Amino acid sequence: MTLSLPQNSLSQSYREILIGVGEDPDREGLLDTPARAAKAMQYLCHGYEQSVDEIVNGALFASDNDEMVIVDDIELYSLCEHHLLPFIGKAHVAYIPTGKVLGLSKIARIVDMFARRLQIQENLTREIAEAVQRVTQAAGVAVVIEAQHMCMMMRGVEKQNSTMNTSVMLGAFRESSNTRQEFLQLIGRSK
């Protein structure tokens, strides 16, 4: 799925939104807002223009390591597909290599690619895990995301201190409670 609206069409849509909320899009402070908002939305959703294969770009390296690799506290910014409001948090990603390791920055880039799409956190967590599994052919992949959702904080129930946690465990992380527990302890989320 790609954003198919050209910049000027998206700008016009934001102009209509301004009118719809009772604003005057021709007042000085709002004259350039539709174009700026359109450009911002295209940036916030640029994950649609990316693919995992392009991001990884061959950065798989032979390795004898068969121990858990963890990249944690990867900040993420996404937009809730229900209200188009941000959710902000961090992802913790682990995998157990089977002959190849993935370039370190590629994990964060995979997180960003999926986060920069209209999302729900549950799907985001699964998409990241499945992409890392497909690319690395790891013995197991684990992803935990913890995020705060503006749709719950700014509107609706207005709960300022709530955090949503989601996890997906594949392969060895799903099959072995010891492996899963080790991961959760290493990221400091074990109960």
Side-chain angles (χ1 to χ4, degrees), residues 97-162:
T98 56
K100 293 182 181 175
V101 293
L102 184 58
L104 178 61
S105 71
K106 303 307 182 182
I107 300 278
R109 290 181 192 280
I110 289 170
V111 169
D112 282 346
M113 182 193 79
F114 287 113
R116 295 301 185 157
R117 299 176 180 186
L118 301 180
Q119 280 288 8
I120 62 172
Q121 184 175 328
E122 298 90 336
N123 290 349
L124 174 60
T125 310
R126 176 153 303 280
E127 288 170 342
I128 294 165
E130 289 174 349
V132 172
Q133 176 66 46
R134 181 179 66 79
V135 168
T136 63
Q137 298 297 304
V141 175
V143 177
V144 169
I145 294 179
E146 45 191 294
Q148 292 188 293
H149 291 250
M150 295 303 117
C151 58
M152 190 166 170
M153 297 169 71
M154 294 175 65
R155 55 161 300 283
V157 296
E158 296 184 28
K159 298 300 177 199
Q160 304 308 304
N161 298 308
S162 63

Side-chain angles (χ1 to χ4, degrees), residues 48-68:
Y48 290 116
E49 299 168 5
Q50 300 175 306
S51 75
V52 173
D53 293 334
E54 290 171 341
I55 286 172
V56 171
N57 194 26
L60 280 169
F61 307 101
S63 174
D64 293 335
N65 181 41
D66 62 356
E67 298 292 329
M68 191 180 306

Side-chain angles (χ1 to χ4, degrees), residues 11-31:
S11 294
Q12 184 58 37
S13 297
Y14 275 108
R15 181 177 169 76
E16 294 301 319
I17 289 170
L18 290 173
I19 292 168
V21 298
E23 265 294 352
D24 174 8
D26 294 320
R27 75 173 171 84
E28 182 181 2
L30 294 177
L31 282 175

Side-chain angles (χ1 to χ4, degrees), residues 41 44-45 77-81 84-87 115 117-119:
M41 183 59 80
L44 294 173
C45 293
Y77 308 92
S78 193
L79 292 174
C80 167
E81 66 185 40
L84 301 183
L85 290 173
F87 63 94
R117 299 176 180 186
L118 301 180
Q119 280 288 8

